[in-house]
Amino acid sequence: MSPDPSAPPPLLAVEGLVKRFGDFRALDGLTFELKPGEILGLVGPNGSGKTTCINVISGLYPPDGGTIRFDGRAIGGLPPHRLVHLGINRTFQVPKPFLPLTARQNVEIALAYGRNPRSDLEPREILDSLDLGGVIDRPAAELTSAQQKMLDLARALATGPKLLLVDELASGLNPAELDRIADRLLGLARSGIALLVVEHLMGFIDQITDRVIVMNAGKEIFEGKLADAARDIKVVEVFLGADAHG
């Protein structure tokens, strides 16, 4: 089937991506595309390469093979600060705020150095949108784990990303917090931001994603709706064992 010429081009195009650690291939030829306003989930067992994928796209690790194109430009191997200025930012499994600084100061730094095209954006606007207005002047070290995760997201959003890489943001949140952050992420997608989300909570992934890629041993074994993945024999074997279906 030929591609639709009227379809918008992908914002992110990953082709044949390889990342090695010694003789171990953490990514082994991964290929996918992501369009503006789309939420794509990366799921799979521990060690399947999900976070490594985000680390390579965000510039934390250089790729060892394949290509990464963002907005039509090859970006593989560019350092993180260059990628932030191009419009890519991320959250981390373990939040990394400046602990002695207040929530406001953390966001001010991101606004100052992130080159957000919105020059009028205020820290309070971002922090209020993530339920952090009440702790805006508290040091990040005094925030709860959930609040630090939201501050991590606030700092990323302060740079005005076109592509947001979200690494296990939902882990450790209670059901009410999960619903709120799901609404925030869906709102970001509606505003045109593309999101690549790594998560183990399947209910959360099902709530927010347009489609998922299931990974195993650095490779894609399924792409499509999460509900269809649950009926795919290869996926069932990876998660439940080779004899799980019969």
Side-chain angles (χ1 to χ4, degrees), residues 46 50-51 91-95 144-150 152-153 166-179 181-182 185 197-205 208:
N46 289 332
K50 305 181 300 296
T51 291
T91 68
F92 290 85
Q93 286 183 15
V94 179
T144 67
S145 175
Q147 287 171 334
Q148 286 190 5
K149 286 194 168 207
M150 293 304 101
D152 213 29
L153 178 58
V166 182
D167 195 2
E168 296 198 30
L169 185 66
S171 176
L173 302 184
N174 65 40
E177 291 167 338
L178 285 173
D179 284 341
I181 194 57
L185 296 182
V197 179
V198 167
E199 191 52 68
H200 286 288
L201 298 175
M202 292 299 102
F204 183 78
I205 281 285
I208 66 169

Side-chain angles (χ1 to χ4, degrees), residues 109-153:
I109 288 173
L111 285 169
Y113 292 99
R115 299 185 184 175
N116 190 322
R118 274 196 62 190
S119 58
D120 63 330
L121 196 58
E122 293 290 334
R124 178 169 287 281
E125 182 180 343
I126 300 171
L127 292 166
D128 281 346
S129 74
L130 296 171
D131 300 321
L132 293 175
V135 296
I136 190 170
D137 291 315
R138 288 179 59 186
E142 296 180 6
L143 303 185
T144 67
S145 175
Q147 287 171 334
Q148 286 190 5
K149 286 194 168 207
M150 293 304 101
L151 181 56
D152 213 29
L153 178 58

Side-chain angles (χ1 to χ4, degrees), residues 213-216 219-223 232 234-235 238-239:
I213 288 175
V214 182
M215 296 180 62
N216 187 44
K219 298 179 179 180
E220 173 195 322
I221 62 170
F222 174 89
E223 180 177 347
D232 185 274
K234 288 187 294 183
V235 174
V238 164
F239 278 94

Side-chain angles (χ1 to χ4, degrees), residues 1 23 25 31 36 40 66 73-74 88 104 110 115 125 160 164 167 171 177 194 201 206 216 225 233 242:
M1 184 177 181
D23 293 332
R25 285 193 171 216
T31 297
L40 173 63
R73 171 179 177 171
I88 301 173
R104 184 199 303 270
R115 299 185 184 175
E125 182 180 343
L164 183 63
D167 195 2
S171 176
E177 291 167 338
L201 298 175
D206 192 38
N216 187 44
K225 297 287 186 181
I233 291 176

Side-chain angles (χ1 to χ4, degrees), residues 6-66:
S6 66
L11 180 67
L12 177 71
V14 173
E15 185 170 357
L17 192 60
V18 174
K19 181 60 192 174
R20 302 184 190 91
F21 297 100
D23 293 332
F24 174 65
R25 285 193 171 216
L27 297 174
D28 193 7
L30 185 64
T31 297
F32 64 89
E33 293 182 347
L34 183 57
K35 292 182 171 61
E38 185 179 21
I39 304 181
L40 173 63
L42 288 184
V43 301
N46 289 332
S48 59
K50 305 181 300 296
T51 291
T52 299
C53 178
I54 280 185
N55 287 342
V56 173
I57 294 171
S58 65
L60 194 61
Y61 302 147
D64 294 313

